[in-house]
Amino acid sequence: MQHCDIVPLAGGIGAEVRGLDLSHEISPSLRDAMVEAWLDRGILLFRGIGDSPEKQLMLSRAFGELEVHPIENIRVDGYPELIWLSNRKSDETAPVYHYDGVATVGRIPWHSDLVYTTTPNRGALLRMLEMPYSGGQTGWIDTAAAYDALPEDTKQRIEQLEARFRFIADPREMRFGRPNVERHDETNLEREKAFYPSFPDTIHPLVWRHPVSGRKALCVSPLHLREAIGLPADEGDALLHDLVAHATDARFSYVHHWEPNDMVLWDNLRTMHRAFGNPPDASRLVHRTTLKSTVVMGRLA
């Protein structure tokens, strides 16, 4: 019977699964142990074992039902549940932004997936195929740990509060936690905006309750956060600035420096993540699966 060790990651959030052999079927007992660790830790790291789409899919399915991505042109040929995400130097249409004056492609600020919808996905599994010569890291934040660390009076204050979220692709449109960023070239901006579907604004509680564990977590997703509901604008903005600054503190984060065939699984309902991006003349390619959720967390504005 296959045995794995599950070891906490440095920094106190997430865990690494060691000794998993994906050339063999995952037993029910091993699957249950990994699911329990995922629920407990939020982020699971599997080093160097994702050397094929089949292995990524087998591991992903151990944690739940997978979604087929609605945009066909980023699906991996022959694997409809896999998508590719690329920052490649051969792609001259990739938007280049200057962060603190440094030209970067593929940087995505802190966010929870699909928080601009009523039913965010359950989680996702990312696999590294091609690493850039510089940059390319991915970071995660344990928003349950961030909630736990709030002062009690703040927890009571936000217990029944809600916030509005909107689909945002351009980091310059962020209202909270906005980086020092400028666009390198506006040429393709309108074409990029036309590529994305239209989403109505969505309202979520500032405190999410995990549908499986019941744990409370902060729902702030700075990339998409627009305003607090039911508070005067100045008071609401001040509160959200404070919550974002608190949640994105490094003590709640894990940053992964990728190696080939690494895979990381995250629970989207208790974490945020970000892509650090890479230089425009470097290439990065990952494959991703997405775990479906049917749990409604928010409501349309």
Side-chain angles (χ1 to χ4, degrees):
M1 180 179 295
Q2 188 175 178
H3 172 75
C4 292
D5 292 319
I6 299 176
V7 181
L9 291 169
I13 70 167
E16 179 180 352
V17 179
R18 298 177 180 173
L20 180 63
D21 183 356
L22 291 178
S23 64
H24 300 284
E25 186 176 345
I26 299 172
S27 69
S29 60
L30 179 55
R31 181 194 63 223
D32 290 347
M34 291 194 299
V35 169
E36 183 179 352
W38 182 45
L39 193 62
D40 180 54
R41 307 293 298 183
I43 303 155
L44 293 183
L45 166 63
F46 305 84
R47 293 188 191 270
I49 62 172
D51 56 9
S52 72
E54 290 79 8
K55 289 181 179 179
Q56 181 175 2
L57 287 167
M58 180 172 70
L59 180 60
S60 301
R61 289 176 181 136
F63 294 91
E65 184 181 356
L66 303 184
E67 292 186 341
V68 174
H69 200 279
I71 302 177
E72 291 188 26
N73 64 359
I74 62 172
R75 294 179 195 161
V76 177
D77 289 345
Y79 303 95
E81 295 163 323
L82 273 180
I83 61 171
W84 57 266
L85 303 170
S86 173
N87 308 325
R88 285 188 155 175
K89 60 184 178 182
S90 59
D91 183 5
E92 297 180 355
T93 65
V96 178
Y97 289 94
H98 286 173
Y99 289 88
D100 296 318
V102 179
T104 306
V105 297
R107 178 166 166 173
I108 307 174
W110 292 115
H111 66 286
S112 298
D113 288 334
L114 295 182
V115 73
Y116 47 85
T117 72
T118 60
T119 312
N121 59 271
R122 178 70 172 85
L125 179 71
L126 208 61
R127 175 169 75 100
M128 177 57 65
L129 279 78
E130 183 179 352
M131 298 185 304
Y133 66 81
S134 177
Q137 302 95 331
T138 307
W140 286 269
I141 280 177
D142 186 342
T143 56
Y147 173 83
D148 290 344
L150 285 171
E152 286 303 317
D153 60 341
T154 303
K155 290 179 182 178
Q156 293 176 18
R157 182 185 180 194
I158 67 175
E159 180 69 20
Q160 302 300 327
L161 289 180
E162 298 176 310
R164 183 188 301 267
F165 295 85
R166 180 175 301 160
F167 176 76
I168 297 292
D170 188 335
R172 296 174 302 175
E173 298 178 16
M174 292 172 64
R175 295 201 62 228
F176 303 95
R178 183 184 181 274
N180 180 17
V181 57
E182 297 297 335
R183 176 84 177 206
H184 173 69
D185 183 1
E186 303 286 348
T187 306
N188 299 315
L189 187 57
E190 292 306 315
R191 185 173 66 181
E192 288 169 27
K193 289 183 177 179
F195 174 80
Y196 296 111
S198 177
F199 297 93
D201 286 5
T202 302
I203 294 172
H204 284 274
L206 281 173
V207 181
W208 266 354
R209 287 158 181 81
H210 197 283
V212 181
S213 70
R215 264 191 95 171
K216 294 181 179 180
L218 271 178
C219 174
V220 287
S221 193
L223 178 58
H224 307 108
L225 185 60
R226 305 312 292 172
E227 64 176 347
I229 302 297
L231 293 178
D234 289 349
E235 180 184 351
D237 285 358
L239 173 63
L240 295 182
H241 279 297
D242 288 345
L243 290 176
V244 167
H246 170 82
T248 55
D249 188 281
R251 63 186 155 142
F252 307 121
S253 72
Y254 169 70
V255 177
H256 188 59
H257 298 264
W258 294 93
E259 295 292 340
N261 300 324
D262 282 356
M263 295 188 287
V264 178
L265 171 78
W266 68 94
D267 184 337
N268 187 55
L269 302 182
R270 68 167 279 182
T271 66
M272 295 190 292
H273 59 284
R274 61 165 288 194
F276 281 68
N278 52 260
D281 65 343
S283 292
R284 181 181 189 268
L285 176 65
V286 298
H287 282 179
R288 170 180 158 149
T289 54
T290 301
L291 290 152
K292 183 182 295 186
S293 177
T294 58
V295 178
V296 175
M297 306 292 286
R299 59 188 174 88
L300 295 179

